Amino acid sequence: MEWYFDASGPIDAELSVPAGLIEVDAGTGGQVHVVLEAMGGGASRMLDIGEHGVRIHLGGGSGRGRGDEVVTATDVHFADDHLRVRAPERPWRNAELHLRVTLPSGSGLTTRTASAEVACSGRLTSFDGTTASGEITLGDIERDVTVKTASGDLAAGMIGGAVRVAGASGDVAVERAGGDVDLNLASGDVHVGEAGGSVRVHTKSGDVRIGRASAGRVTLDSASGDLCIGVAAGVGARLDVTSVSGDLSCDLPFEETSRPDAPLEIVCRTASGDVHIEAAAT
């Protein structure tokens, strides 16, 4: 099924699909385009996000099943610059749908899924996603990104605002965060290419790498994961690092006297993981 709506500018979109694939393209046009169909045939594709080439596999379903019935029962509504697409969960929770949505550039997006993959391209203002196990792939987001997940991964490009993720075992990869980063994970790995603000990461067994930090407070806490922080050139940093059995190393110039005016503070705590502080790559 297919829908077209006229929009005068950016809108807010709320998309809810329990299983399958949600694809969103925030283009430059003034029209909202929605296509919803049952998945089948095992289709899949790969996405490249950002200069680091994060690759995400987006798999299709094994068959239509009762997907066509879910398509017919899905609520699609647009009014007052707000788009709502809400597929029913019962009794078709496992039916896989393919939802494709084209939005005006600068729109805000909220997604709610159980196991559906979410893939976004173009320029969004903000993103708020909740999923049990679906992967989330984002391009550039002007403001904040908030994700709640059990085991789904997050891969994102340039985030202008804050990044907040709460999850159990999903990995997080962000090319650049302009605001603060707050990640609370159980066992997921973390890679933040560049942090523009403070960073707080708590994970039990995941490895954490911050490619470039230049200001604020970087607090990394892991039971058994390795921790690595790159410090931007010319930036002074105060270090507070503890590892019970892991190796500690620092490639930065060392000063006996602590600088209270240092723009960057690094606090690392790990039980058995290694900690490495290095100069960020230029």
Side-chain angles (χ1 to χ4, degrees):
M1 298 182 68
E2 195 167 7
W3 297 262
Y4 290 92
F5 306 103
D6 290 327
S8 59
I11 70 167
D12 290 322
E14 178 188 349
L15 312 178
S16 178
V17 171
L21 170 62
I22 298 175
E23 292 184 283
V24 177
D25 180 15
T28 58
Q31 193 172 61
V32 177
H33 183 203
V34 179
V35 179
L36 181 65
E37 57 191 356
M39 291 185 68
S44 63
R45 68 190 187 92
M46 306 293 290
L47 293 180
D48 288 319
I49 298 297
E51 62 180 0
H52 298 294
V54 177
R55 296 180 65 80
I56 301 296
H57 179 78
L58 302 177
S62 58
R64 285 183 176 271
R66 300 181 67 183
D68 289 331
E69 299 177 59
V70 186
V71 171
T72 303
T74 296
D75 174 32
V76 178
H77 179 75
F78 181 76
D80 300 324
D81 293 329
H82 183 88
L83 171 68
R84 182 182 69 238
V85 178
R86 187 174 299 165
E89 293 189 9
R90 298 178 181 179
W92 308 287
R93 184 178 181 85
N94 295 325
E96 293 190 321
L97 303 180
H98 186 183
L99 173 62
R100 288 173 288 161
V101 179
T102 301
L103 304 173
S105 179
S107 295
L109 177 62
T110 298
T111 64
R112 299 288 182 263
T113 79
S115 60
E117 320 282 0
V118 177
C120 302
S121 59
R123 184 176 62 86
L124 290 168
T125 297
S126 61
F127 177 82
D128 186 331
T130 300
T131 181
S133 60
E135 297 174 352
I136 297 176
T137 307
L138 305 176
D140 294 345
I141 309 294
E142 288 185 354
R143 299 177 188 168
D144 297 347
V145 169
T146 302
V147 173
K148 295 179 181 178
T149 177
S151 59
D153 297 338
L154 168 66
M158 309 289 281
I159 309 301
V163 180
R164 306 179 188 90
V165 180
S169 60
D171 297 335
V172 176
V174 177
E175 189 173 327
R176 186 185 188 280
D180 294 344
V181 176
D182 190 349
L183 311 180
N184 193 342
L185 310 171
S187 61
D189 294 335
V190 172
H191 175 79
V192 178
E194 182 174 356
S198 294
V199 178
R200 190 191 72 86
V201 179
H202 174 79
T203 179
K204 294 187 182 303
S205 61
D207 296 336
V208 180
R209 179 175 180 83
I210 311 300
R212 180 188 298 270
S214 57
R217 181 185 175 99
V218 176
T219 304
L220 309 183
D221 182 8
S222 177
S224 60
D226 295 335
L227 311 178
C228 182
I229 304 98
V231 177
V235 173
R238 290 177 291 158
L239 307 182
D240 182 359
V241 179
T242 301
S243 178
V244 177
S245 60
D247 295 331
L248 306 178
S249 61
C250 179
D251 297 339
L252 303 178
F254 179 74
E255 296 181 8
E256 288 287 349
T257 304
S258 176
R259 291 177 51 188
D261 60 340
L264 179 63
E265 181 179 6
I266 297 174
V267 179
C268 295
R269 298 287 184 266
T270 180
S272 60
D274 297 337
V275 179
H276 181 59
I277 313 296
E278 63 184 12
T282 57

